[in-house]
Amino acid sequence: MKNPDQSQRGVAIIMALLVVMVAAILATALIDHQGQWLARLRIERNLTQGQWLLRGGLDWSRLILQMDARDNATTRLDGLWTQALADLPVGPPEDPQRALFSGQIEDMQGRFNLLDLAQGGQIRPAATQALEALLQSLGQDPTWAGPIARRVADSQPAAGRAPRALGLQDVSDLTAVAGLPADLPGVLDAFVAVIPETVSININTAPAEVLAAAVPELSLAGGRDLVAQRQHGQWFVHRGDIVNRLRDLPSTALRRLDVRSDWFRITGEVVLDDTIVALQALLHRDKQGRAVVRWVRHE
């Protein structure tokens, strides 16, 4: 027969073990929760620091564009503003490699402006045909020009009605077009822009496909010849130069071309520890050459 004292001691030991187990489980859960909280805190800190660093990159872009406006009467692809930055150390002095910045400036006036597709809620046939030609030259279905133009028209107020859809801000917003192939906005990204006013296309920066679409009388081969001339340093220096060098084309067809740009997209990214913070912005240079931020997106 068991000794009652021994049975009680056995129960006490088991209870003590259970208490220890419960305490260990609770401590593990608390440590795990604290670790998750610290990880979230670190990510939020990195996001905040990354956004501040990207703001610095945006200010750098504005300064570069202001210097370019001061020093150059034309906007060309050999300008300082075209030099992209990759993995530039921007961390603290004791560890500059902790944060790496990459960024670039892109000329939006070297692209087809999607907002030209409609005016006052009405589709513009000539601009839609130009987009059809651009899609065709890029090996894409030209019939998508119609739905894209309708999306732009729906975003504009018209006589007696408010806009039916949100306005486009960037090419990525084309995903709102019903049925549009998922890869089409990415294909178009280097060739189209969303500029909130009617502007000329810069003949010094536009790709051949955009030039041929903007000037129907200019073939794609002719556009490629102009690009080849630029690559050999034969830049257009003023609008009269455009007319003189393209004298075989009617002057009315060249009215949409210019040699200067004032609308630019800024893309930046900061890698901070294991956190990536990205930014896109649209900048407009005013008549004094000052670069003004029109919108900013953090990603």
Side-chain angles (χ1 to χ4, degrees), residues 231-287:
Q231 291 173 342
H232 288 86
Q234 300 176 40
W235 304 99
F236 290 84
V237 296
H238 47 69
R239 298 189 67 153
D241 193 24
I242 298 175
V243 176
N244 290 334
R245 290 170 58 179
L246 302 180
R247 62 174 60 91
D248 292 338
L249 300 178
S251 59
T252 53
L254 305 178
R255 289 176 181 171
R256 292 212 57 210
L257 302 178
D258 204 342
V259 298
R260 180 182 172 85
S261 300
D262 289 312
W263 290 89
F264 301 86
R265 183 174 67 183
I266 312 302
T267 304
E269 179 183 276
V270 168
V271 179
L272 188 61
D273 294 334
D274 55 352
T275 305
I276 299 176
V277 190
L279 169 148
Q280 274 197 357
L282 182 69
L283 266 60
H284 175 233
R285 280 196 308 207
D286 60 22
K287 293 181 179 180

Side-chain angles (χ1 to χ4, degrees), residues 153-173:
D154 287 345
S155 69
Q156 299 173 346
R161 72 163 176 82
R164 298 191 181 103
L166 292 175
L168 300 179
Q169 191 177 69
D170 189 60
V171 180
S172 59
D173 295 335

